[in-house]
């Protein structure tokens, strides 16, 4: 039992106390900002604090006049260097103070070269690759005049019914934090004045990923202990990475909408973390405090958002229409407005817009869809794929195969393979699996049949052609899943089964007796327990982006080897949700000795005969696939788990190492994962927590000692009062997923 509580003074969210905040303050810039603010009218200040879509500004001339009058500080969804330069010229050369516009755009996982959806990128467990991918997105967007993206979305997401889980990095706080830093660095580079970089935006602050029932925009109820331990750390990681902007969320958090939440925006973000960047509201989220029931009207909504710390209002007009009255009534202070304008101007200075407001209109042609960008997109897609099943080592296929049936609604769907939140990608640039397989094997070897027009098609009239294609082929590769429109914002689902008649198509093809490879393209984890029994091999490809086809063709034929690992837990059925690996143990944890299958319960059984543990009678207590799971064409052996010490102090660290050997036939990469359990705490702790990982590539027969440094401060947590490291005993595992691994023990000294 723990008797000593050891508090780390100044520890904030276990992420390190010394944040590198961007934009950085510079004396000369601060002097210019003060001079500008001193010259500004209230209308011009509010203009800087307002962001509009071009359509909200009326026609071209009315938009120019609004900019000329200083009523617009930022525009979103304006694309094209020439169009941006046209309006920027008005702002810089025709407005009274010559303050440049900042142009924002949802550049989520690519601009024209589309990368895998963020959930797929997280499945790569490759932060360096994620950084490169977002660097590609930034360079292409910047070449078209965009200065600012509303990404990364780093909401921890544990409910796959929520459509925006596709835009997340999954269920785990640690992995999301690692990816958050990588994506921020990818977008922003080393210098925001670089013409290939754009400002990033950490969203949605905070708790949006915990929307009740997985219904978008819904209420979130998160106790402070869970908020600080699970949902806030990725945002702190973004601050430490120097993220330029934050976005307040749509949801209400414990009864207070995020865009009017002083606790999160003022106390945590500004005071505790020392964040000095800019905060923008999500689209009309300030005005939406009215239907939330938190503000009676737009005036009250403006008051609450301004006092909470939202610098810029996106899309709605609460600030513009009500600030003067709020000032007159003493409900807000001019100093508050001035500080918000300063944050916005500081961002514009950090982007170099005052020195170089215009975009070189020749950049796009040299940047977009470049050969290097397409290579990175292909590599990102390849590393995102997760091999879930491979009976009798069906994969990889042999190139000497005489014929292959390519079947399914997603085999040749260039639009859908790009995934959700793609505003600027063109399907004409997507290379589909069908196209790539024809190029690899020759068209004569491919027997193609869609079977279903789209993933939601219920008609079976295309089955006969699909069955015929299967019968005359050596193997079937069946592309199932969901269209891109079925995930993303406002696309929540109550059921996660394959839509339409996809399962029936799989049954019809499987009945031919030909081996079946099922490739799933989806924006979330689907409930595919039934389908696993019908397929010989299952490759989960998420929505892989522009180069998904070539990456899949290489993977199917062994020119690439699967290395992806699940960033989410796969449920057997929707009724298990929420199901995630780092849950609490409960007072009555389930195990197979005490779980009784519903079908084995005798008639008239007495209540106590069922085993009083935390489980479902019909679905048990384990997932379909655990977090961190993923197979390879090769095989790996873990041995010799060693700790550099079995004890450490509160300011110490230990090295945890294991010998990893490639025991298979292919050169392959394995993600070695380190998990811990704090056995006893002043508040209950999860059964396992990811605290480190390394992706290691080994040749057949090669061994390597893999070591991960585990610091005591990484074991700190919020206990309801303080961030603490508590003395006591810990379990540690190193292995291939959250359910397996070699085990050892260590302790933190009192």
């Amino acid at each position: 039992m723990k008797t000593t509580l050891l508090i780390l003074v100044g520890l904030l969210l276990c992420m390190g106390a010394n944040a590198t905040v961007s934009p950085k303050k510079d004396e000369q810039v601060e002097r210019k900002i003060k001079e500008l603010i001193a010259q500004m009218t209230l209308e011009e200040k509010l203009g800087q604090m307002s962001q509009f879509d071009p359509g909200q500004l009326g026609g071209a001339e009315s938009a120019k006049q609004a900019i000329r009058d200083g009523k617009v500080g930022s525009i979103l969804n304006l694309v094209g260097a020439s169009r941006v330069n046209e309006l920027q010229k008005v702002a810089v050369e025709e407005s009274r103070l010559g303050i440049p516009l900042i142009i924002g755009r949802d550049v989520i996982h690519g601009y024209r070269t589309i990368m895998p959806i963020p959930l797929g990128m997280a499945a790569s467990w490759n932060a360096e690759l994620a950084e490169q991918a977002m660097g590609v997105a930034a360079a292409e967007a910047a070449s078209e005049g965009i200065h600012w993206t509303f990404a990364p979305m780093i909401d921890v997401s544990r409910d796959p019914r929520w459509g925006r889980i596709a835009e997340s990095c999954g269920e785990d706080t640690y992995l999301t934090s690692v990816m958050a830093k990588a994506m921020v660095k990818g977008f922003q580079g080393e210098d925001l004045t670089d013409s290939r970089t754009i400002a990033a935006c950490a969203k949605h602050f905070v708790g949006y990923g915990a929307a009740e029932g997985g219904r978008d925009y819904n209420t979130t109820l998160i106790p402070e202990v869970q908020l600080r331990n699970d949902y806030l750390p990725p945002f702190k990681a973004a601050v430490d990475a120097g993220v330029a902007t934050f976005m307040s969320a749509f949801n209400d958090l414990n009864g207070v909408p995020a865009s009017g939440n002083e606790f999160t925006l003022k106390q945590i973000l500004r005071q505790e973390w020392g964040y000095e960047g800019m905060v923008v509201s999500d689209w009309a989220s300030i005005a939406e405090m009215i239907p939330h029931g938190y503000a009676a009207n737009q005036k009250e909504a403006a008051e609450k958002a301004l006092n909470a710390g939202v610098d810029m209002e996106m899309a709605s007009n609460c600030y513009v229409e009500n600030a003067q009255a709020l000032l007159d009534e003493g409900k807000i202070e001019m100093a508050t407005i001035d500080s918000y304008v300063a944050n916005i101007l500081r961002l514009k200075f950090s982007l170099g817009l005052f020195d170089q407001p215009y975009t070189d209109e020749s950049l796009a042609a040299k940047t977009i869809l470049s050969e290097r960008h397409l290579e990175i997109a292909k590599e990102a897609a390849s590393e995102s794929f997760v091999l879930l099943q491979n009976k009798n080592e069906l994969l990889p296929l042999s190139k000497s195969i005489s014929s292959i049936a390519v079947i399914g609604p997603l085999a040749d769907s260039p639009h859908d393979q790009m995934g959700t939140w793609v505003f600027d990608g063109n399907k004409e640039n997507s290379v589909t699996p069908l196209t790539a397989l024809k190029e690899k094997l020759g068209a004569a070897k491919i027997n193609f049949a869609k079977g279903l027009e789209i993933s939601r098609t219920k008609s079976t009239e295309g089955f006969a052609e699909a069955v015929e294609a299967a019968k005359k082929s050596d193997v079937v590769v069946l592309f199932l899943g969901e269209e891109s429109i079925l995930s993303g914002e406002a696309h929540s689902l109550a059921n996660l089964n394959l839509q339409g008649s996809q399962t029936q198509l799989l049954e019809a093809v499987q009945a031919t007796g030909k081996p079946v490879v099922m490739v799933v393209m989806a924006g979330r984890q689907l409930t595919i327990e039934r389908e696993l029994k019908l397929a010989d091999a299952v490759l989960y490809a998420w929505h892989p982006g522009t180069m998904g086809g070539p990456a899949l063709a290489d993977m199917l034929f062994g020119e690439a080897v699967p290395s992806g690992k699940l960033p989410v837990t796969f449920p057997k059925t929707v009724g298990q949700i929420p199901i995630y690996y780092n849950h609490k143990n409960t007072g009555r944890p389930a195990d197979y000795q005490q779980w009784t299958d519903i079908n084995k319960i005798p008639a008239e059984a007495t209540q106590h005969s069922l085993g009083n543990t935390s489980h479902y009678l019909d679905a048990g207590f384990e997932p379909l696939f655990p977090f961190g799971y993923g197979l390879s064409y090769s095989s790996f052996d873990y041995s010799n788990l060693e700790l550099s010490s079995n004890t450490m102090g509160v300011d110490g660290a230990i090295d945890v190492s294991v010998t990893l050997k490639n025991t298979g036939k292919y050169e392959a990469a394995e993600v070695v994962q380190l998990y811990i359990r704090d056995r006893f705490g002043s508040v209950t702790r999860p059964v396992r927590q990811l605290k480190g990982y390394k992706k290691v590539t080994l040749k057949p027969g090669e061994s390597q000692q893999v070591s991960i440094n585990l610091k005591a401060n990484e074991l700190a947590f919020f206990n309801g009062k303080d961030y603490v490291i508590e003395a006591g005993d810990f379990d540690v595992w190193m292995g291939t997923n959250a359910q397996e691994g070699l085990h050892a023990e260590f302790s933190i000294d009192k």
Side-chain angles (χ1 to χ4, degrees):
M1 185 173 70
K2 294 187 178 180
T3 57
T4 304
L5 188 69
L6 300 164
I7 301 175
L8 279 188
V9 178
L11 179 72
L12 296 177
L13 293 181
C14 317
M15 300 302 295
N18 298 316
T20 303
V21 178
S22 179
K24 296 178 182 178
K25 289 188 175 181
D26 174 270
E27 286 186 16
Q28 186 176 359
V29 169
E30 293 305 306
R31 185 167 59 252
K32 291 178 180 178
I33 289 172
K34 287 181 181 179
E35 291 171 356
L36 279 170
I37 291 174
Q39 299 176 64
M40 295 170 76
T41 65
L42 177 60
E43 185 178 54
E44 287 168 330
K45 293 175 182 179
L46 295 173
Q48 288 301 305
M49 294 166 63
S50 299
Q51 181 183 64
F52 297 108
D53 184 279
Q56 295 177 292
L57 299 173
E61 286 309 311
S62 61
K64 288 180 179 180
Q65 192 57 50
I67 294 167
R68 197 174 286 119
D69 293 340
K71 295 180 179 179
V72 181
S74 176
I75 293 177
L76 76 165
N77 299 332
L78 182 68
V79 175
S82 61
R83 293 182 66 201
V84 169
N85 286 341
E86 182 182 358
L87 294 188
Q88 193 72 285
K89 187 175 188 296
V90 176
V92 172
E93 300 181 26
E94 299 178 32
S95 70
R96 189 173 74 90
L97 297 174
I99 299 173
L101 299 168
I102 181 171
I103 308 300
R105 182 73 163 168
D106 281 294
V107 182
I108 306 303
H109 55 106
Y111 182 70
R112 287 282 297 284
T113 303
I114 306 302
M115 304 292 165
I117 57 171
L119 191 60
M121 283 299 312
S124 75
W125 292 58
N126 188 333
E128 293 78 11
L129 185 56
E131 182 177 338
Q132 288 182 52
M134 296 309 102
V136 170
E140 292 192 353
S143 75
E144 291 267 59
I146 295 165
H147 311 127
W148 178 22
T149 178
F150 306 116
M153 194 194 91
I154 48 179
D155 299 295
V156 170
S157 307
R158 293 172 171 172
D159 192 334
R161 295 173 298 181
W162 188 51
R164 296 195 82 167
I165 194 169
E167 202 182 335
S168 81
C169 294
E171 71 184 47
D172 183 64
T173 302
Y174 180 87
L175 182 60
T176 300
S177 298
V178 170
M179 288 292 171
K181 286 185 176 182
M183 291 188 286
V184 168
K185 290 179 180 178
F187 283 125
Q188 297 189 170
E190 297 296 326
D191 182 359
L192 277 174
T193 64
D194 189 316
S195 63
R196 297 165 295 180
T197 66
I198 57 179
C201 182
K203 70 179 189 185
H204 307 81
F205 198 66
V206 61
Y208 185 37
E212 195 173 59
R215 295 188 303 278
D216 213 346
Y217 317 116
N218 210 6
T219 300
T220 59
L221 300 168
I222 308 174
E224 187 178 354
V225 167
Q226 188 179 24
L227 180 73
R228 288 184 178 271
N229 288 327
D230 296 346
Y231 292 92
L232 284 173
F235 290 96
K236 179 59 167 59
V239 171
D240 291 343
V243 71
T245 69
F246 262 66
M247 179 184 286
S248 59
F250 288 119
N251 58 288
D252 86 53
L253 173 64
N254 302 328
V256 181
S259 290
N261 198 313
E262 292 191 37
F263 172 64
T264 56
L265 290 172
K266 187 173 284 185
Q267 179 178 321
I268 294 175
L269 183 62
R270 298 293 190 187
Q271 295 172 8
E272 294 183 20
W273 295 353
Y275 178 70
E276 295 178 337
M278 194 262 279
V279 176
V280 63
S281 74
D282 209 337
W283 184 284
S285 65
I286 293 175
E288 286 174 11
M289 287 195 283
I290 301 168
H292 268 298
Y294 189 65
N297 48 47
Q298 288 200 357
K299 181 180 177 184
E300 189 174 347
E303 177 189 349
K304 291 187 172 182
L306 285 165
N307 285 324
V310 179
D311 301 305
M312 181 181 285
E313 180 176 13
M314 182 191 291
S316 46
N317 291 292
C318 300
Y319 285 3
V320 170
E321 295 178 1
N322 297 285
Q324 182 66 69
L326 292 169
L327 285 166
D328 293 344
E329 295 168 15
K331 293 181 177 178
I332 61 170
E333 298 178 356
M334 184 62 78
T336 299
I337 288 178
D338 288 350
S339 69
Y340 294 173
V341 174
N343 289 339
I344 294 162
L345 294 177
R346 193 174 299 115
L347 175 62
K348 293 182 178 184
F349 273 109
S350 71
L351 285 163
L353 293 177
F354 282 89
D355 295 326
Q356 180 49 267
Y358 304 116
T359 300
D360 181 346
E361 294 180 21
S362 70
L363 276 179
K366 297 179 285 189
T367 305
I368 288 174
L369 295 165
S370 72
E371 184 177 346
R372 177 59 181 153
H373 290 182
L374 293 174
E375 288 174 358
I376 292 172
K378 182 181 176 183
E379 184 181 357
S382 183
E383 292 207 27
S384 74
F385 301 152
V386 183
L387 183 63
L388 297 179
Q389 181 169 282
N390 195 19
K391 294 177 185 176
N392 302 315
E393 296 185 346
L394 175 59
L395 292 177
L397 304 174
S398 171
K399 274 191 182 178
S400 62
I401 197 166
S402 1
S403 61
I404 175 173
V406 177
I407 298 172
L410 290 161
D412 193 34
S413 185
H415 171 80
D416 291 313
Q417 76 179 48
M418 291 190 293
T420 187
W421 274 119
V422 174
F423 285 169
D424 302 292
N426 295 330
K427 68 178 184 179
E428 291 79 9
N429 302 130
S430 293
V431 185
T432 68
L434 177 64
T435 299
L437 287 167
K438 284 181 176 179
E439 289 177 357
K440 185 174 291 292
L441 300 179
K445 285 189 174 184
I446 303 297
N447 298 312
F448 172 62
K450 290 188 75 170
L452 297 167
E453 189 60 32
I454 60 173
S455 68
R456 290 167 288 150
T457 299
K458 295 180 180 179
S459 169
T460 61
E461 64 182 49
F463 281 22
E465 184 183 3
V467 168
E468 184 59 30
K471 285 180 177 178
K472 61 185 182 183
S473 302
D474 294 333
V475 66
V476 175
V477 182
L478 183 59
F479 292 86
L480 304 178
E482 59 180 11
E483 299 145 75
S484 59
I485 197 61
L486 297 185
S487 60
E489 185 174 351
H491 292 86
S492 298
L493 291 172
N495 292 298
L496 301 178
N497 51 285
L498 288 170
Q499 297 289 325
S501 297
Q502 292 186 85
T503 301
Q504 289 80 1
L505 176 60
L506 172 58
E507 288 173 331
V509 169
Q510 191 263 350
T512 66
K514 297 300 175 76
V516 177
V517 178
M518 182 172 74
V519 178
V520 182
M521 291 190 189
R524 50 161 68 85
Q525 62 269 52
L526 299 175
T527 48
I528 54 171
E529 184 177 27
R530 178 182 174 188
E531 289 76 15
L532 285 173
K533 298 171 184 176
L534 298 169
D536 298 282
V538 178
L539 188 65
Y540 218 86
W542 315 102
H543 285 135
T546 300
M547 295 298 287
L552 278 165
D554 284 357
M555 187 71 70
L556 291 170
F557 286 91
E559 293 173 33
V561 176
S563 64
K565 299 283 187 175
L566 295 179
V568 285
T569 300
F570 269 52
K572 297 174 184 174
T573 174
V574 170
Q576 289 182 299
I577 296 170
I579 183 169
Y580 48 94
Y581 86 93
N582 50 352
H583 58 83
K584 300 295 183 67
N585 203 38
T586 81
R588 296 186 177 185
D591 59 53
Y592 280 109
Q593 290 183 335
Q594 299 189 67
W595 173 61
T596 303
D597 187 299
I598 191 171
N599 297 309
K600 295 181 180 179
I601 299 173
E604 298 186 359
T606 56
Q607 184 65 41
H608 69 271
S609 68
L610 298 181
N612 295 326
T613 62
S614 181
H615 63 254
Y616 294 105
L617 293 175
D618 53 350
F621 54 91
E622 290 194 338
L624 184 62
F625 293 108
F627 175 86
Y629 181 87
L631 303 175
S632 171
Y633 294 157
S634 200
S635 55
F636 295 92
D637 177 70
Y638 287 76
S639 63
N640 303 322
L641 179 66
E642 295 180 353
L643 277 60
S644 60
S645 174
N646 294 113
T647 62
M648 63 174 159
V650 293
D651 57 352
I654 60 172
D655 290 321
V656 185
S657 61
V658 70
T659 300
L660 181 71
K661 183 176 182 179
N662 183 342
T663 56
K665 299 178 291 185
Y666 297 88
E667 181 175 335
E670 167 72 345
V671 179
V672 178
Q673 302 163 40
L674 186 152
Y675 296 89
I676 65 98
R677 181 183 181 186
D678 186 350
R679 290 182 185 169
F680 309 101
S682 53
V683 294
T684 57
R685 309 296 296 130
V687 295
R688 288 198 191 194
Q689 289 179 286
L690 180 71
K691 291 297 179 180
Y693 68 86
K694 282 189 177 179
K695 195 165 189 174
V696 181
T697 300
L698 298 176
K699 295 177 181 178
E702 185 180 5
S703 296
Q704 181 177 319
Q705 186 181 51
V706 181
S707 183
I708 297 176
N709 185 254
L710 179 64
K711 296 180 176 63
N713 65 11
E714 294 171 332
L715 306 178
F717 62 93
F718 184 75
N719 69 355
K721 297 179 181 179
D722 298 291
Y723 288 96
V724 298
I725 300 173
E726 293 183 347
D729 298 325
F730 291 77
D731 295 293
V732 61
W733 296 266
M734 284 185 82
T736 188
N737 61 59
Q739 282 188 349
E740 301 177 56
L742 300 179
H743 173 257
E745 302 171 4
F746 68 92
S747 62
I748 292 181
D749 293 333
K750 295 180 181 179

